[in-house]
Structures are given as C-alpha cells and as structure tokens.
Amino acid sequence: MGMQGIIGIILLVNLKPTGSIGQTDAVIVVLLVCLFVMCFAWSWGPLGWLIPSETFPLETRTAGFSFAVSANMLFTFIIAQSFLSMLCKMQAGIFFFFAAWILVAGVFALYLMPETKGVPVDDMVERVWKQHWFWKSYMTEDDPDEDLKQRKLEMAASTSRS
C-alpha cells in the first residue's frame, strides 16, 4: 500500500493542470512504479496461483483451480481495459484507489486466509477449513468419501437397470 500511496502523493502535489509533471518527479514516479511491480511479483502476484494449489481439497482442486485462473484472467483484463480511462478521470486518485484495494486484500489475507504450513493436501478440509473460525460455517459434516461411494452405487444401479 505504501508504494501506491507515495506515487499518489507525488502526483497529487506535483501534477499540473495540463497533466504534466517535472522531469525529476517523473523519473521518481517511474522508478517507484517499477519497484512496485517488482515487489508485487515477489509477494502478492504469485498468491493467485499458490493459494488455490495449496488450499483446494483434491476432490475439487481441478474445478477450483480453473475458477481461480479464470477469475484472475478476467480481473486482469478488466483492470487493463479500464486503467487508462480511470487514470485520465481520477489522475493521482487512481493510486489511492489501488492502495485501498491492497489494504482490503491484506485484511482479507490476515483474517480469512488460514495457515496451511505443514498440512498435507489430503487433510486440508478436516484440519484447516472445518477448523477455521469463519470458513467452518460453510463446511458440511458429510464425509466426501461416503458421498462418492453413494454416487458410484447409484450410477452402478442405474447402469444395470438400462
């Protein structure tokens, strides 16, 4: 959040009504944007790939990961398409806008993303999601293995009737 805020403050203070900025400030802003991209690539960037791979249970991993990748691509497209228009309208405010979203993401990660260190993927549902203070209310008590066995029995019964 800090880098976005610093860029926003520099632009808010030094951006002229004509939309221009001094050369020194422009170089500082470009360097800060590059530093932000570099820091993002080492921190938040990979989380869109890491979190789904570590947290989805094996039974739903393929569907969950495909949804996560699709959502990632969709929001990347939306941001890429809207950034320049937002920059023209909001000017320095766009950096405060994205800084606020970084703050929201940080609060979400702090309070709603469970720690998965040392938890095998097979035990993710029982040891992580069913124990988490928030997510446990969305978990059922049904045994997924029993549900799978029941579905297989129903499929076998319907196939034998045909």
Side-chain angles (χ1 to χ4, degrees):
M1 183 176 129
M3 201 74 60
Q4 295 281 12
I6 293 169
I7 294 168
I9 289 169
I10 291 171
L11 292 178
L12 190 63
V13 171
N14 298 316
L15 194 62
K16 296 174 180 64
T18 59
S20 62
I21 189 172
Q23 185 174 0
T24 304
D25 291 328
V27 168
I28 291 171
V29 167
V30 168
L31 290 175
L32 288 174
V33 168
C34 291
L35 185 62
F36 170 78
V37 170
M38 183 178 68
C39 293
F40 181 83
W42 287 338
S43 60
W44 287 100
L47 293 182
W49 305 97
L50 179 68
I51 291 173
S53 70
E54 287 191 357
T55 58
F56 283 119
L58 292 174
E59 299 84 15
T60 60
R61 176 165 292 174
T62 304
F65 208 80
S66 65
F67 178 78
V69 170
S70 299
N72 189 336
M73 296 293 176
L74 174 66
F75 284 105
T76 299
F77 174 79
I78 291 169
I79 290 169
Q81 294 301 310
S82 62
F83 181 80
L84 289 177
S85 298
M86 291 173 66
L87 180 62
C88 289
K89 291 281 185 192
M90 299 172 72
Q91 295 183 342
I94 192 169
F95 294 98
F96 299 115
F97 173 79
F98 284 111
W101 279 110
I102 292 171
L103 181 64
V104 168
V107 169
F108 177 85
L110 182 64
Y111 291 108
L112 296 175
M113 288 307 307
E115 176 60 60
T116 60
K117 183 178 180 180
V119 179
V121 174
D122 297 342
D123 297 337
M124 196 60 62
V125 172
E126 292 299 322
R127 290 180 50 192
V128 175
W129 297 113
K130 286 187 177 181
Q131 305 301 319
H132 191 269
W133 68 271
F134 180 78
W135 299 115
K136 68 182 176 184
S137 62
Y138 295 96
M139 300 303 296
T140 63
E141 294 300 321
D142 298 336
D143 183 6
D145 291 334
E146 287 299 319
D147 289 344
L148 182 62
K149 289 176 190 173
Q150 184 63 33
R151 280 185 294 210
K152 285 182 180 178
L153 287 173
E154 289 171 359
M155 287 175 55
S158 67
T159 306
S160 65
R161 285 187 219 140
S162 303

